[in-house]
Amino acid sequence: MGIREDLVRIGEEMRAQLNEATTSQQLDQIRVSVLGKKGALTALLRGMGQIPAEERPAMGQIINEKREELTALLDEKQQELKQKEKEIRLQKEALDITEPRDVPEIGAVHPNQLVLREVLDCFTGLGFDVVEGPEIELDHYNFELLNLPKNHPARDAQDTFYVDDNMVLRTHTSPVQARTMLSRKPPIRIVCPGRVFRADEIDATHSPVFHQIEGLVIDENVTMGDLKGTLDAFAKKLYGADITTRFRPSFFPFTEPSAEVDLTCFNCRGKGCRMCKGTGYIEVLGCGMVNPKVLEMCGIDSTKYSGFAFGIGLERITMLRYGIQDMRLMYEGDLRFLRQFR
Ligand code: PHE
């Protein structure tokens, strides 16, 4: 068998193999089997020693030409496979940026929080600072400094959760008043939102845990007129210009005089409806002029300064605002309820 025939055979075999090849790995194997150290073409070159010397240059040239031809074929096939592999990869990794995404569930702000934001906006707009205090409170701040000494009968009305002899779960936000008077100098203008606790029934209008927003103003010449003006501004800002306040005399040991304040029923705007039991008004807060005794206990000169305080029931005004009939809805976390406030 002559070298020329061998070359033709090697070329044809390789072409056949190339046609079958689908991966670069197979291509590498083919390259090695023909052009590698132990490849078919290399073997031919090695065998040159056996042909007559005068034929060697011509044969060498033919083999080298074949080598170049086959190398070019391999390179071409390699390009082709690379291109194919790239296409397959691009197809696999393709992202359809027009595909609609899964819309994530967005939570809702709790109605209490919605109303609280509005209330705080209103008071910060009037120059009040927002201050907070501890929920586990010393008896000293929750009662003593607010003119509710031990064995005072008004303590019973508070249905207190005692932690121990000296500590309670605060029954109102008023202890923050005492803390602030002790730590700041007048003029003082603060609102204190927070959670409060009372050993109460659980029903449509009562919960052992609820929220209040305390207000306190201390300065020279603060009068009950300032208190009424401030609460009027608050009522109108929150519920509209036609809403008014109605003061009814009341009693709190830490204010003198004291009042309970009703707002025009926002549901019927004063005409009388089921919500306000036909009265046209709804009770929303307690307030009064800070008792001079409390001022003195908290280190403020009651001959120079006077002030007012109020405590708003947050759940109350939230229920009014959104027509929520049952307070329990606000604590149960039922998504069907909460989603309505999205
Ligand atoms: N702390 C009182 C309560 O919880 C409300 C109040 C606050 C009354 C401030 C007067 C002044 O009932």
Side-chain angles (χ1 to χ4, degrees):
M1 265 237 276
I3 285 180
R4 284 171 210 277
E5 289 77 18
D6 282 343
L7 283 176
V8 171
R9 185 181 45 79
I10 290 170
E12 275 168 6
E13 275 173 15
M14 199 189 84
R15 260 182 248 269
Q17 284 176 331
L18 282 185
N19 277 338
E20 301 283 301
T22 53
T23 67
S24 332
Q25 226 178 351
Q26 289 171 329
L27 200 66
D28 285 342
Q29 279 167 9
I30 298 170
R31 192 187 290 274
V32 171
S33 75
V34 180
L35 303 175
K37 271 189 197 150
K38 294 177 182 162
L41 206 69
T42 317
L44 277 188
L45 277 172
R46 290 233 176 86
M48 290 276 278
Q50 273 141 52
I51 57 175
E54 64 274 18
E55 286 178 31
R56 278 181 209 161
M59 276 304 151
Q61 197 185 348
I62 297 173
I63 295 174
N64 276 330
E65 275 168 12
K66 197 68 181 175
R67 187 186 184 85
E68 270 161 39
E69 180 198 326
L70 295 184
T71 303
L73 267 179
L74 277 164
D75 289 349
E76 196 184 313
K77 182 75 183 180
Q78 190 166 32
Q79 286 303 319
E80 191 186 304
L81 281 183
K82 261 197 189 150
Q83 183 63 27
K84 264 205 191 114
E85 279 166 6
K86 189 173 162 191
E87 272 163 26
I88 289 168
R89 212 186 68 226
L90 285 178
Q91 230 165 38
K92 256 200 257 164
E93 293 176 0
L95 280 181
D96 180 1
I97 58 167
T98 66
E99 187 178 332
R101 70 196 172 101
D102 291 337
V103 180
E105 282 250 20
I106 297 172
V109 179
H110 193 279
N112 251 348
Q113 188 63 29
L114 289 172
V115 171
L116 177 60
R117 284 180 188 170
E118 278 186 57
V119 173
L120 294 185
D121 261 3
C122 168
F123 283 108
T124 52
L126 293 170
F128 287 64
D129 288 342
V130 179
V131 175
E132 284 182 301
E135 293 176 350
I136 300 174
E137 184 57 285
L138 289 167
D139 183 293
H140 185 63
Y141 294 107
N142 195 80
F143 291 127
E144 211 85 24
L145 286 178
L146 297 173
N147 197 27
L148 273 149
K150 290 227 158 65
N151 303 319
H152 191 289
R155 280 195 180 205
D156 293 347
Q158 301 258 4
D159 300 310
T160 311
F161 285 116
Y162 280 87
V163 176
D164 60 30
D165 282 352
N166 296 316
M167 266 194 299
V168 300
L169 298 185
R170 67 177 175 192
T171 57
H172 49 181
T173 42
S174 299
V176 190
Q177 282 186 38
R179 286 176 171 274
T180 307
M181 286 188 265
L182 286 165
S183 64
R184 293 191 186 190
K185 290 197 162 37
I188 294 170
R189 252 185 259 115
I190 55 157
V191 275
C192 329
R195 222 173 351 191
V196 301
F197 309 84
R198 289 186 197 180
D200 246 342
E201 298 293 312
I202 299 176
D203 62 29
T205 53
H206 294 88
S207 159
V209 184
F210 58 104
H211 298 78
Q212 290 186 333
I213 305 152
E214 193 81 9
L216 174 72
V217 171
I218 309 277
D219 203 348
E220 292 175 35
N221 305 316
V222 175
T223 69
M224 198 127 181
D226 297 318
L227 170 59
K228 186 152 176 34
T230 303
L231 292 178
D232 271 340
F234 155 73
K236 290 183 194 321
K237 178 87 193 288
L238 226 71
Y239 294 105
D242 58 327
I243 300 294
T244 56
T245 56
R246 182 173 76 173
F247 280 54
R248 284 181 289 105
S250 185
F251 172 79
F252 299 102
F254 34 94
T255 48
E256 183 58 37
S258 303
E260 271 168 304
V261 176
D262 306 332
L263 297 189
T264 316
C265 175
F266 93 101
N267 185 44
C268 61
R269 319 295 293 188
K271 282 196 216 60
C273 67
R274 236 186 39 189
M275 218 158 176
C276 58
K277 299 192 184 83
T279 63
Y281 284 96
I282 287 177
E283 184 195 326
V284 297
L285 62 91
C287 66
M289 301 307 290
V290 180
N291 192 321
K293 253 174 108 175
V294 171
L295 290 177
E296 293 296 335
M297 279 190 283
C298 294
I300 288 176
D301 181 354
S302 66
T303 61
K304 187 170 177 205
Y305 295 105
S306 56
F308 64 75
F310 55 84
I312 304 170
L314 179 58
E315 277 76 0
R316 208 83 218 275
I317 59 175
T318 302
M319 289 168 78
L320 291 175
R321 180 52 177 270
Y322 293 112
I324 299 166
Q325 309 280 351
D326 193 320
M327 199 163 165
R328 286 168 290 197
L329 285 167
M330 292 205 272
Y331 307 117
E332 284 165 349
D334 188 326
L335 291 177
R336 290 167 302 179
F337 171 75
L338 295 171
R339 281 191 181 123
Q340 297 176 56
F341 300 93
R342 268 214 279 251

